[in-house]
């Protein structure tokens, strides 16, 4: 299990958790100032490098890559402000646009991908 400290990016924590978990194939668990990623299969291990890369891609997509650094230390990844900027809220990032599977927790922002995933649970 990997913990991502989001104390300085509280406003994007939920959207970031959904994005990262979708990119690496993990189950997110939201907490007060952080979220955790657990592998779907207990036998697998989450690649920390992939998590860091995914977080950086997300920050890049919202234009904040220059303001934050992603630091990885012993299964704890922290998103740290470089210039003191704190993201308190993100009005343009709504979590209403995400689809979550009620059977296994799979999360995606695309309805067609969700519908195709949902069919897997009903195969005989």
């Amino acid at each position: 299990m990997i913990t991502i400290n989001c104390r300085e990016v509280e406003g994007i924590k939920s959207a970031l958790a959904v994005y990262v978990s979708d990119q690496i194939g993990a189950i997110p668990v939201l907490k007060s100032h952080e979220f955790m990623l657990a592998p779907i299969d207990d036998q697998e291990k989450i690649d920390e490098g992939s998590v860091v890369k995914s977080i950086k891609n997300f920050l890049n997509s919202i234009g904040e890559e220059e303001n934050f650094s992603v630091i990885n230390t012993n299964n704890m990844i922290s998103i740290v402000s470089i210039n003191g900027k704190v993201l308190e809220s993100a009005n343009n990032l709504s979590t209403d646009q995400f689809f979550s599977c009620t059977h296994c927790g799979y999360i995606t922002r695309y309805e067609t991908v969700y519908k195709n995933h949902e069919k897997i649970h009903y195969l005989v």
Side-chain angles (χ1 to χ4, degrees):
M1 197 173 286
I2 296 176
T3 303
I4 294 88
N5 179 351
C6 298
R7 206 168 280 279
E8 296 184 23
V9 291
E10 284 288 327
I12 62 169
K13 179 182 68 175
S14 296
L16 178 63
V18 170
Y19 179 83
V20 172
S21 64
D22 191 31
Q23 293 296 307
I24 64 165
I27 301 169
V29 178
L30 293 174
K31 297 183 116 188
S32 295
H33 302 291
E34 59 192 24
F35 68 91
M36 300 172 85
L37 295 172
I40 293 173
D41 182 6
D42 288 338
Q43 305 300 322
E44 294 179 13
K45 186 173 190 237
I46 297 173
D47 179 32
E48 294 175 16
S50 297
V51 175
V52 169
K53 182 178 178 183
S54 183
I55 292 170
K56 288 181 179 182
N57 287 341
F58 183 83
L59 291 171
N60 186 33
S61 73
I62 62 169
E64 294 292 343
E65 74 280 3
E66 296 175 0
N67 298 318
F68 294 93
S69 178
V70 182
I71 301 169
N72 180 11
T73 311
N74 297 331
N75 288 337
M76 174 67 126
I77 298 173
S78 297
I79 304 167
V80 181
S81 178
I82 295 171
N83 56 9
K85 183 174 183 177
V86 176
L87 295 178
E88 293 177 2
S89 65
N91 297 332
N92 60 346
L93 297 173
S94 172
T95 56
D96 295 339
Q97 300 172 354
F98 297 104
F99 298 90
S100 177
C101 179
T102 56
H103 302 288
C104 68
Y106 174 77
I107 299 172
T108 183
R109 66 172 35 175
Y110 307 106
E111 184 175 10
T112 54
V113 172
Y114 167 72
K115 292 290 184 187
N116 286 333
H117 167 82
E118 190 176 43
K119 292 174 187 174
I120 294 170
H121 295 290
Y122 297 104
L123 294 176
V124 178

